[in-house]
Structures are given as C-alpha cells and as structure tokens.
Amino acid sequence: MGEPHLSNVPRSTQETERVASVTAPAQDFTAPEPFELRPAGASTLIAPPSAKSFYSPSAGISGERELEFFVGLSLFEKLWVAAPSATVSSDGLGPLYNARACSICHPGNGRGRPPEGDGDRVGSLFVRASIPKAVSDLPREDLALLPNAPEPIYGFQIQDKSVPGVPAEGRLHVTYESVPVTLGDGSVVDLRKPTYDVAALGYAALHPEAELSPRIAPQMIGLGLLEAIPEADILAHADPEDADGDGISGRPNVVWSGFYGQWMTGRFGLKAGAPTVRAMSMEALNSDIGLSNPYRTAATGDCTALQTECMAAPDGNTPAQENLEASTVVMDLLTHFARNVAPPQRRNFAAPEVLKGKALFYNAGCADCHMPKFVTHRLEDRPEQSFQLIWPYSDLLLHDMGEGLADNRPEWQATGREWRTAPLWGIGLTAEVSGHTNFLHDGRARSLLEAILWHGGEAENARETVRMMDKSEREALIAFLESL
C-alpha cells in the first residue's frame, strides 16, 4: 500500500485540524455550506450547463498545461485504424477491439449507455470475462498478481469488433424483464431487469464456469482530484467488519500495480480495480482499442494464444512510437487529459427544495457511502489538484450492493456483489451531456429514482427509506441529486 503516484507535501497539524473541520458532515440544511458551489474547488468549471459541460480543463490551468489538455483530448477522440497504414502514428487498432476511439464509449466525456434492443447498435455496453482462479491452469504466482483469471479462449474482455481477417469474439445480447416496485404512496415504478448472453461466438464455447460482467463506461470528470485524495482519508472511512454496527461496512480494493511494482488502493473503475488514472487509461487503451502502450505492451491486445488469426495479424508497433502503438508521450498526454476534465459548478444549490432534498439524502443514510467531501493532498507538480476542497459524493470504497446488482464476478478483493461507490458529481447533467439518463454499472436504470430502487445489500435501509417517502420528498431528493 502507498501512494507512489503522488509527490505530496505532508499536512501540518494545523492543516489536519482545518481539513477535519471543513469535511465534517453537514448539520444545518437551511442554507448551503461554504464553497458548495464549487465541487472541484478552484478547478471547478464555472459556466452555464450545456452539452459541453464535461469538455473543459481544470479552471486556472496554465497555458502550457491547457494546450497539453487539448492535445490529450484530440487523442481521446482520435479514430485509430488497422495496421499497416500510411499513418503510422494512427494505426495499431485491434486486432480485437470494442471501439475505435475512447470518446465512442464516453460520449461528451460522459457515461455510455446500453443498447435498447437487438436493433440498437449505438449503445456502448461491453463485457468483462474471466473464470474462477481455482479452475485456471495459470501458475498460482501469476494469478496472485491478476485481478482474476482470464477466460481461456476469450481473455479478460469480449471484443465485439475486429480488423479484417480476424473473427470478432461475439455480440452481447440483452433482454429486459419488467420488475414492478410499489412506492409508499401506492404508485408503481417498473424497473427493467437485464439478462445477458453472448451471441455469435467467433471461436468456441465459453468456459463452463465463465464469469461475465456487462458494463458501461463512466463519466470522465474529476479523475485527477479523486487520485489526489490522501489514501489515509479513504481508509479512515473503511469499516470492513462493521465495527460500529450501522450496517455499512466499506472496504478498499487492494490491487497490484505492475507499473510501480507494489500493492495499492484501488480508486478507479466500477469495482475500484485500478489504482491510478494512468493505469486505468492504459488498460482501457489496450483492452478496448487494442493498442500497445508502456503500461500494457501487448500489440495483440486481449488476444489469447488460442486465437491464431489474432496473434498473427499485423501490428502497429513502430520505432517512431518506441516500438509500441501508443508511446510514452501518448500515454502522458492522455493521462493529463483524463486528470483534468473539470467537474461543473452546482446548479440551484441554494433552492429550498434542493436543501430539503439534501437533508433527506443525509437522513436516509445515502451520505454514509456517498461521502460528500474530501480535501486533496498538497501536490508540488499538479497545481490543479493541489489542496482542494472537493465534493465527489463517494468514499471510493467497495460495498455489498445486494443480489439484484450482483455480477457474480470477483475483481481483486471485490466480490461478485460489491461495487465501488459511484461518484455523484455531475450526475444531474447526464441527459444534457450524454443524451440519456441511464445509470448503474450496466445502465439498466433509466432514471435516478430507478437507480436508487436497485440499491440493496448495505444500501437496503437507505433504499427502503426512499421508497417509503411521499411524492414531495422524493421530488426534493431527486432535485438535490440533479443539482450535483
């Protein structure tokens, strides 16, 4: 454990006391708290909401670093092509892949959505694959440093696209079943329960114990600020044995960093399976697009030895890119971009209905996991993220969310029922930025209320409190969430 990714200055005693004071839970809900307008502190985007609300760099960023942000953004939106091509700095796609550009899964730098049915090819749902480590043929010492055991033929992810001459791996098929939930006032909400299978398998049958985890891409804002939260402050909220008896446990995911050669606290990804923005970005570049990079050097991406056409396909490794398809420069620019997509300012945060909803949010117990505030490390080399009061509404810990949301696929220490608390900042702009209102790890929820009603496990009591609210209380709670 540790923070080798940060060059931080230790806090003084006075700073520690000041941080404890400003991050204490709210007690007065009759007026906004100081600085609540700015969820990302001085890095907050102060601008009217728009479809471009997740498109700006950290406020106050220097001119040179702003230029690097926009170069990184251009790489994020770049369409990669199959090798060989005349554009050696743009080839290397695949051989297997899910998208030709990062921005395809993160529309407007927001969240993706699932397909609405068989004829819908616009959605960005993808599926992680694995088998239990106990049945894998890989050496135990190798498995110890992997999040899970790869599916023997298909690897860690099902790629539904491929370059010419290489079969794609399959197509995720989803059907929905209506699940009615009766609210306290007698009204009924129809949740949609998804069932998944992989059709048109390109190679052979999946392992009989294959574990599949469908997922949509999350929004991109504020990642550098989450990365700058002191590890000690995250761990201070962990209560893995529920020692205080409040029904909320919360524990960190502990993941191996091959880049730093040590175990670290997972912060990113739906199960907190990545320790840093760089690790998350480079893993996605390799698994989703098939690009070799300094962090994931395989030009064959997620191909396995049993996929012979894939292993034999041309790659885009070139001396111009350090004999990779995406060099250190590409990695650094993409990481810098991902760290600096600014969270937007709050809207209507002082409205009486929003303040009422905030009180209901706390009283229902939602704030026990959706932790409102942190103060970031003081960082010498990252002024945009240095010593900022931020409001992500996440403790970055794993929680049991119940059988209804379980994917039954472990990831490092996370069980098949555990998910990282999703940050809520910017969630109210999902429709404006991403063009839909799909939430949760696979986008099954079509509204914020549906997302709440899917909560189970440790969130069962909070879910029931919301379910039994009267209409005006539910509307106030949603108004608060939409202001974030």
Side-chain angles (χ1 to χ4, degrees), residues 15 29 33 39 47 76 104 109-110 125 129 159 172 193 206 219 239 264 270 283 298 321 346 357 393 446 479:
E15 285 178 338
F29 299 98
E33 296 171 80
F76 192 79
I104 290 174
N109 294 330
L125 192 71
Q159 282 90 10
L172 187 61
K193 178 183 177 183
L206 288 161
Q219 60 194 19
D239 185 14
M264 297 177 65
L270 294 166
E283 184 66 47
Q321 294 283 336
R346 290 276 305 277
Y393 285 89
R446 294 162 293 186

Side-chain angles (χ1 to χ4, degrees), residues 20 28 61 119 138 147 149 153 190 229 234 243 250 262 296 328 332 336 354 378 432 449 457:
D28 178 8
I61 196 170
L138 293 179
I153 297 175
D190 270 319
I229 296 174
I234 297 172
Q262 68 176 76
R296 289 280 182 263
T328 301
D332 289 346
H336 177 71
V354 170
R378 193 182 293 282
E432 196 141 16
L449 179 58

Side-chain angles (χ1 to χ4, degrees), residues 139-460:
R140 299 296 104 179
E141 57 269 28
D142 293 347
L143 286 171
L145 302 182
L146 293 174
N148 26 41
E151 204 285 336
I153 297 175
Y154 293 90
F156 288 107
Q157 190 162 307
I158 303 295
Q159 282 90 10
D160 59 353
K161 300 177 181 63
S162 59
V163 301
V166 177
E169 292 189 319
R171 187 178 65 253
L172 187 61
H173 178 72
V174 55
T175 55
Y176 294 104
E177 169 191 354
S178 176
V179 179
V181 176
T182 302
L183 304 181
D185 59 8
S187 58
V188 176
V189 175
D190 270 319
L191 303 182
R192 59 175 187 175
K193 178 183 177 183
T195 298
Y196 301 102
D197 67 89
V198 181
L201 286 166
Y203 296 86
L206 288 161
H207 189 282
E209 295 190 51
E211 303 161 325
L212 303 179
S213 179
R215 302 174 178 199
I216 60 170
Q219 60 194 19
M220 294 292 295
I221 60 172
L223 300 180
L225 293 161
L226 297 179
E227 189 177 54
I229 296 174
E231 181 183 68
D233 291 357
I234 297 172
L235 300 182
H237 295 296
D239 185 14
E241 305 301 326
D242 191 20
D244 62 7
D246 66 352
I248 308 296
S249 59
R251 62 191 184 117
N253 206 346
V254 180
V255 309
W256 177 255
S257 169
F259 193 80
Y260 293 106
Q262 68 176 76
W263 294 96
M264 297 177 65
T265 298
R267 300 174 186 233
F268 301 102
L270 294 166
K271 285 182 182 274
T276 65
V277 174
R278 185 186 301 274
M280 175 188 65
S281 303
M282 296 304 105
E283 184 66 47
L285 205 61
N286 193 248
S287 298
D288 301 346
I289 305 179
L291 298 175
S292 59
N293 59 73
Y295 196 91
R296 289 280 182 263
T297 56
T300 49
D302 191 40
C303 295
T304 65
L306 297 175
Q307 296 171 312
T308 54
E309 298 98 330
C310 184
M311 296 298 286
D315 64 53
N317 284 358
T318 170
Q321 294 283 336
E322 302 170 356
N323 290 319
L324 298 167
E325 294 164 334
S327 67
T328 301
V329 172
V330 172
M331 179 177 73
D332 289 346
L333 288 167
L334 275 171
T335 302
H336 177 71
F337 159 75
R339 280 177 176 155
N340 282 289
V341 183
Q345 68 181 73
R346 290 276 305 277
R347 287 84 50 209
N348 305 317
F349 68 105
E353 185 179 37
V354 170
L355 292 171
K356 175 184 175 183
K358 179 181 175 183
L360 291 165
F361 182 84
Y362 273 74
N363 292 337
C366 307
D368 292 343
C369 302
H370 289 286
M371 199 69 61
K373 294 172 282 185
F374 286 94
V375 172
T376 60
H377 269 306
R378 193 182 293 282
L379 300 171
E380 294 178 320
D381 57 342
R382 288 165 50 182
E384 304 86 5
Q385 286 89 44
S386 180
F387 208 54
Q388 298 297 314
L389 171 61
I390 64 172
W391 307 68
Y393 285 89
S394 170
D395 60 8
L396 300 184
L397 298 173
L398 299 171
H399 294 275
D400 179 348
M401 295 301 292
E403 191 59 35
L405 288 178
D407 67 350
N408 300 309
R409 178 180 183 269
E411 184 175 328
W412 297 111
Q413 276 70 44
T415 70
R417 290 166 57 107
E418 289 181 318
W419 299 93
R420 182 200 66 164
T421 306
L424 298 181
W425 49 10
I427 199 168
L429 290 174
T430 300
E432 196 141 16
V433 169
S434 303
H436 62 79
T437 54
N438 293 110
F439 302 105
L440 298 176
H441 66 278
D442 56 2
R444 69 179 68 184
R446 294 162 293 186
S447 68
L448 291 169
L449 179 58
E450 286 191 18
I452 295 169
L453 294 176
W454 271 109
H455 282 48
E458 297 175 35
E460 178 82 21

